[in-house]
Amino acid sequence: MAAVLAAATFLLPVSWSPPARAQVPDFDRGPSGFLTPTTGGMPADAWNGTTLATAKRLVSALPAAPRSRALRDLQFKVLVSQLNAPSPDGSPPPGLFARKVDRLAAMGEAENLNEMVRSVGAYADPALAATTVNALMMAGEKASACQIVRTARLSEPFARRADTVCKLVAGDNAGALSAALPLKSGDPAFYKLVEIAAEGLSPTAPPPGQIDGPAMVMLDLAFVQPSAATLRTTQPPLMRSLVAHRTLPVPTRLEIAERGEALAIVEASKLGDLYLDAVRDKVVLPAPMTRRARLVAAARGARNAQQLISAIATVYGEERGGPLFPTIARASAGALMNVAPKPEYAGVAQEVMRGLLLLGDRQQTRAWTRLALSAAFNDARAMGSLERLLPLMAIAGVDDAKRLPPEDINRWYELIARENPAQAQVRGYLLLELFRAIGFDIPAKSTTLPETPGNARLVSPPAATMQALQAAGTGKRRAEAALLSSIAIGETPLIELHPAAAGAIVRALRQVGEDHTGRLFAVEIAIAHGL
């Protein structure tokens, strides 16, 4: 197993490598996972038609941080749904379950990983137990991690590092120093952190070279900051850990949280909490960050619906068009889910619609659309503004339209071209690909939408990946198509993904029954392109 994992080092979280695996039970013989269709999971037969070898290969190839929230959530759903594994086919280890655990760790999903391992008794596997402990420590879940350290067998040398940390957490300073002594020559920086924490020394020490879960806990216990190189990471477990790390100044944590939210790694709610804390504690931030924090804090701290609506309108008015607009909008828009579309809010209905589209709530968007249409009925300027949102609403399926009149499409494209002539061709071509992928019949040259992206610099996924995705969609292989979609985009920024590839992904997802995710992904792409 170690050799197989080493061949995919770039997929592993941070710099930690799982220990070699002993002879353990086969966790692929029965269903694994904790989500069912009634709790938001996939059907148990989602792997039907996919060989075990293919399933293993796809899971191992999953990106830790795909640039699409919709596809990240979908690959997570595949990993934690209670699915029947494909039949054994003699494919080499590690097993499918072990690979799923590895990917969950790489995604920073420590608590969900722990639940999945616990549910099948996989602490019996020293490698899986070590992966779980490492992920929990990286997430700051020291109590849960140390419970496993006390009751399960972990392979060395990770076991000694974890045991040292847990002795310190329990207040056994002498025991921690004794346990860490064999590490002194091999990892002197880690041993120094143990000394600082156990003996109350001045927190001056170089960060350890190996940044894993125990190292992050030790940095916290010794109150030593991570290195500058560590702060620049884009790895999900480490970014999430740094956002919560008490040794770091709030501006640094906020900068990491903003980057992480934009990369679909850090939750918008977590970023919003940090903004609120910074405003409440009157933390000195860079001027642009101060403005963003105050905007989000005003929206999150609104005492009534009218205050919330006004704050959201201000956020969108000031941030729209900026690189962090989607991030700031998501961080402030969560409370919109509980606001009813009343006539007195008609003047800001379009701002609310934008927020709800970002959140993927079709039902609420539909209600606010009716309000926006009534407000714009006798207002040409408001109707023109609303027209710009209509393509996005068609993609999201807000009104469940079965066809799009060519004259409407031509009018929308005219608005797009007038607003930004330089980007008009690629945006128009993107609309055409997405409309067709969603299921609208738009014959060639039946509208003014361009049939090519022009000279835009775009990234196309490997042809083999797209062919496999198309075959999985046609063959109704649900889990396979879901994972191939995520693999296809990888870490490509959505604005650089070729519209034809985006359309193919949406089409394949809809073919296997993931219409909602397909539409969410289409909306993400459209918003990334400034639609």
Side-chain angles (χ1 to χ4, degrees):
M1 171 188 177
V4 177
L5 290 177
T9 306
F10 70 98
L11 295 172
L12 291 177
V14 199
S15 58
W16 177 76
S17 297
R21 176 157 306 172
Q23 188 67 35
V24 294
D26 182 0
F27 298 109
D28 291 338
R29 290 192 177 277
S32 62
F34 53 84
L35 283 186
T36 64
T38 58
T39 57
M42 281 194 163
D45 62 356
W47 282 119
N48 274 13
T50 304
T51 66
L52 183 59
T54 297
K56 288 179 178 182
R57 178 175 53 80
L58 293 179
V59 169
S60 289
L62 285 173
R67 290 297 181 91
S68 161
R69 273 172 184 73
L71 298 187
R72 184 201 182 280
D73 290 347
L74 183 61
Q75 78 175 38
F76 172 79
K77 184 165 76 169
V78 174
L79 294 176
V80 301
S81 289
Q82 197 174 88
L83 306 183
N84 298 319
S87 300
D89 57 5
S91 52
L96 181 61
F97 181 81
R99 294 173 192 245
K100 291 195 292 183
V101 169
D102 170 66
R103 289 296 82 205
L104 286 169
M107 292 170 67
E109 293 289 346
E111 293 182 41
N112 291 302
L113 179 162
N114 185 37
E115 171 61 20
M116 199 163 79
V117 171
R118 184 202 60 78
S119 67
V120 297
Y123 297 144
D125 181 331
L128 294 179
T131 299
T132 307
V133 168
N134 185 67
L136 288 169
M137 286 189 173
M138 187 68 75
E141 298 292 336
K142 297 187 285 288
S144 298
C146 290
Q147 174 63 25
I148 300 170
V149 171
R150 288 191 294 270
T151 57
R153 183 170 66 87
L154 283 66
S155 301
E156 297 292 357
F158 180 82
R160 184 171 294 277
R161 293 166 64 83
D163 182 54
T164 298
V165 167
C166 290
K167 282 181 165 57
L168 275 174
V169 170
D172 182 7
N173 294 347
L177 284 168
S178 176
L181 196 58
L183 301 173
K184 188 173 183 179
S185 58
D187 195 347
F190 184 86
Y191 182 78
K192 181 62 178 178
L193 292 176
V194 176
E195 278 191 318
I196 291 172
E199 298 179 353
L201 304 179
S202 175
T204 53
Q210 183 180 358
I211 301 297
D212 59 359
M216 290 303 291
V217 175
M218 285 311 313
L219 287 169
D220 179 69
L221 295 176
F223 216 80
V224 173
Q225 288 191 12
S227 68
T230 299
L231 299 183
R232 293 191 295 270
T233 186
T234 57
Q235 297 185 46
L238 194 46
M239 288 194 85
R240 291 183 172 190
S241 182
L242 291 170
V243 166
H245 218 270
R246 62 175 181 166
T247 67
L248 296 175
V250 172
T252 301
R253 293 168 60 196
L254 268 171
E255 186 275 329
I256 296 169
E258 286 183 341
R259 281 194 295 115
E261 204 286 337
L263 293 171
I265 292 171
V266 174
E267 294 293 330
S269 58
K270 179 63 177 177
L271 174 60
D273 291 343
L274 283 175
Y275 281 140
L276 281 175
D277 291 344
V279 171
R280 182 198 62 212
D281 298 338
K282 299 179 180 179
V283 176
V284 177
L285 304 172
M289 188 179 284
T290 296
R291 179 174 52 81
R292 293 193 294 270
R294 287 175 177 169
L295 286 171
V296 174
R300 292 275 299 268
R303 296 182 180 180
N304 54 56
Q306 184 62 61
Q307 285 185 4
L308 173 63
I309 295 295
S310 299
I312 292 293
T314 302
V315 169
Y316 292 4
E318 294 197 21
E319 290 292 326
R320 190 183 307 148
L324 284 176
F325 167 66
T327 287
I328 304 307
R330 280 187 294 266
S332 59
L336 286 174
M337 307 288 275
N338 300 317
V339 178
K342 297 180 180 179
E344 56 263 38
Y345 304 146
V348 294
Q350 292 187 37
E351 281 73 15
V352 176
M353 288 166 58
R354 288 184 176 91
L356 293 170
L357 283 168
L358 280 166
L359 296 173
D361 191 316
R362 271 196 290 180
Q363 185 174 348
Q364 278 280 68
T365 304
R366 187 178 299 122
W368 281 92
T369 300
R370 288 195 290 267
L371 181 61
L373 285 169
S374 67
F377 187 72
N378 293 315
D379 186 335
R381 184 176 178 180
M383 184 59 77
S385 178
L386 183 58
E387 283 268 30
R388 290 175 171 81
L389 281 175
L390 295 181
L392 204 59
M393 292 161 55
I395 291 168
V398 170
D399 56 358
D400 292 323
K402 305 304 179 187
R403 64 179 295 272
L404 293 178
E407 58 270 22
D408 287 354
I409 296 174
N410 293 341
R411 189 174 64 254
W412 296 340
Y413 182 55
E414 183 181 347
L415 286 170
I416 291 170
R418 191 186 311 150
E419 187 176 74
N420 192 328
Q423 295 294 317
Q425 183 159 357
V426 69
R427 289 179 177 180
Y429 175 60
L430 174 68
L431 274 184
L432 181 64
E433 288 289 348
L434 294 181
F435 284 158
R436 287 172 171 167
I438 290 301
F440 294 119
D441 181 18
I442 305 177
K445 299 183 180 180
S446 62
T447 70
T448 55
L449 290 178
E451 296 280 346
T452 67
N455 296 322
R457 293 185 177 181
L458 300 166
V459 177
S460 295
T465 300
M466 298 310 296
Q467 290 166 3
L469 174 62
Q470 184 179 14
T474 303
K476 311 295 184 186
R477 298 192 292 274
R478 190 164 187 161
E480 185 176 333
L483 299 192
L484 279 166
S485 298
S486 200
I487 291 166
I489 68 161
E491 297 184 2
T492 303
L494 296 186
I495 196 170
E496 296 178 13
L497 184 67
H498 199 291
I505 290 171
V506 172
R507 192 174 291 108
L509 290 176
R510 297 184 69 243
Q511 286 175 320
V512 297
E514 291 292 341
D515 179 76
H516 180 64
T517 299
R519 288 181 183 271
L520 282 179
F521 174 65
V523 168
E524 283 184 306
I525 290 280
I527 289 175
H529 277 268
L531 290 171

